[in-house]
């Protein structure tokens, strides 16, 4: 869907420029945007490499595992059906810690690992897939997200962020006079979104059990 949306926007811009005789400006804008995108990617690559490395050091030093143990009550509340010693807990905790610190890109590998472990957990439970109707074209076996997967995804999207590193880097890249000025609003916004996400997930859990 997004591919169609971007294609439509690009095509509309080109046709508008051609219709109004401003194709030269359209071409210059495209080249300028491409150059800016490369510069931004280089900037964010350095930041991502730094924080991903720090997170990896924390994992090898056992710091992340210790923090994960401290988060056990929270994980038990959010994911009551995941066994205490299951590897998914550590991956989920790592992802949550990275997100709280604002390291969205560094949280991605842990998030993918968590989803993989949650998938393995479903296989261990004997639920590798569910029989669902494929838009009325016939019934077939398709893998669907488990309750824990949905909860984790929602929390990952709405995660509380104490230090929005990526946003600060973006603002710094584009010449903001106060790049860290986003910190307080980000904490409030992500705190509210996280509370809403937790309430929503718990309501859905309760409804499913009923």
């Amino acid at each position: 869907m997004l591919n169609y949306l971007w294609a439509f926007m690009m095509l509309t811009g080109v046709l508008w420029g051609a219709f109004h005789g401003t194709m030269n400006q359209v071409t210059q804008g495209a080249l300028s945007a491409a150059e800016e995108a490369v510069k931004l990617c280089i900037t964010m690559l350095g930041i991502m490499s730094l924080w991903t490395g720090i997170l990896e050091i924390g994992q090898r030093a056992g710091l992340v595992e210790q923090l994960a143990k401290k988060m056990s009550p929270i994980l038990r509340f959010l994911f009551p059906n995941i066994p205490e010693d299951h590897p998914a807990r550590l991956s989920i905790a790592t992802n949550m810690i990275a997100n709280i610190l604002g390291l969205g890109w560094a949280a991605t590998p842990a998030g993918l690992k968590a989803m993989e472990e949650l998938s393995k957990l479903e296989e261990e439970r004997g639920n590798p897939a569910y029989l669902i109707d494929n838009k009325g074209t016939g019934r077939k076996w398709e893998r669907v997200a488990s309750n824990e997967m949905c909860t984790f995804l929602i929390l990952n999207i709405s995660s509380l962020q104490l230090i929005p590193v990526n946003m600060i880097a973006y603002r710094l890249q584009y010449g903001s006079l106060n790049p860290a000025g986003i910190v307080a609003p980000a904490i409030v916004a992500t705190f509210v979104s996280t509370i809403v996400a937790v309430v929503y997930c718990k309501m859905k859990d309760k409804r499913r059990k009923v």
Side-chain angles (χ1 to χ4, degrees):
M1 184 62 185
L2 287 178
N3 290 336
Y4 291 115
L5 178 61
W6 282 111
F8 171 76
M9 293 173 63
M10 293 173 63
L11 181 60
T12 301
V14 171
L15 292 177
W16 182 272
F19 183 77
H20 289 84
T22 57
M23 283 300 296
N24 186 40
Q25 288 86 336
V26 172
T27 303
Q28 291 179 355
L31 294 176
S32 176
E35 179 184 1
E36 187 67 24
V38 172
K39 291 180 179 178
L40 181 60
C41 286
I42 293 175
T43 300
M44 298 309 298
L45 177 62
I47 295 173
M48 182 186 69
S49 300
L50 171 64
W51 287 105
T52 302
I54 292 176
L55 193 61
E56 180 67 20
I57 292 173
Q59 287 180 320
R60 296 190 180 188
L63 179 60
V64 173
E65 187 174 354
Q66 292 179 13
L67 290 175
K69 291 180 179 179
K70 297 291 185 181
M71 294 175 61
S72 290
I74 298 175
L75 295 177
R76 192 180 303 115
F77 172 73
L78 296 174
F79 305 95
N81 296 323
I82 298 180
E84 291 283 344
D85 58 344
H86 198 276
R89 277 182 173 269
L90 179 59
S91 298
I92 291 174
T94 303
N95 175 269
M96 293 178 66
I97 292 170
N99 275 324
I100 289 174
L101 296 176
L103 312 177
W105 288 357
T108 300
L112 295 176
K113 182 64 176 178
M115 281 297 187
E116 181 181 348
E117 294 295 342
L118 290 174
S119 179
K120 292 179 180 178
L121 178 60
E122 286 303 299
E123 293 179 359
E124 294 170 4
R125 292 171 174 172
N127 299 318
Y130 298 95
L131 187 62
I132 61 174
D133 189 3
N134 187 19
K135 297 182 180 179
T137 60
R139 302 183 71 83
K140 66 177 183 178
W141 288 98
E142 291 186 2
R143 186 178 296 276
V144 296
S146 66
N147 194 47
E148 288 83 4
M149 290 179 180
C150 294
T151 299
F152 173 66
L153 180 61
I154 292 173
L155 292 174
N156 189 59
I157 294 172
S158 63
S159 176
L160 171 67
Q161 289 191 9
L162 300 180
I163 309 174
V165 175
N166 291 343
M167 187 60 66
I168 292 174
Y170 288 139
R171 290 166 59 85
L172 183 63
Q173 174 71 16
Y174 290 108
S176 173
L177 297 178
N178 184 18
I182 195 69
V183 172
I187 291 176
V188 174
T190 55
F191 176 78
V192 173
S193 65
T194 300
I195 294 297
V196 172
V198 171
V199 172
Y200 174 79
C201 291
K202 287 302 176 182
M203 289 177 61
K204 298 296 287 186
D205 284 345
K206 185 176 181 180
R207 181 174 299 179
R208 175 172 291 189
K209 291 178 181 178
V210 172

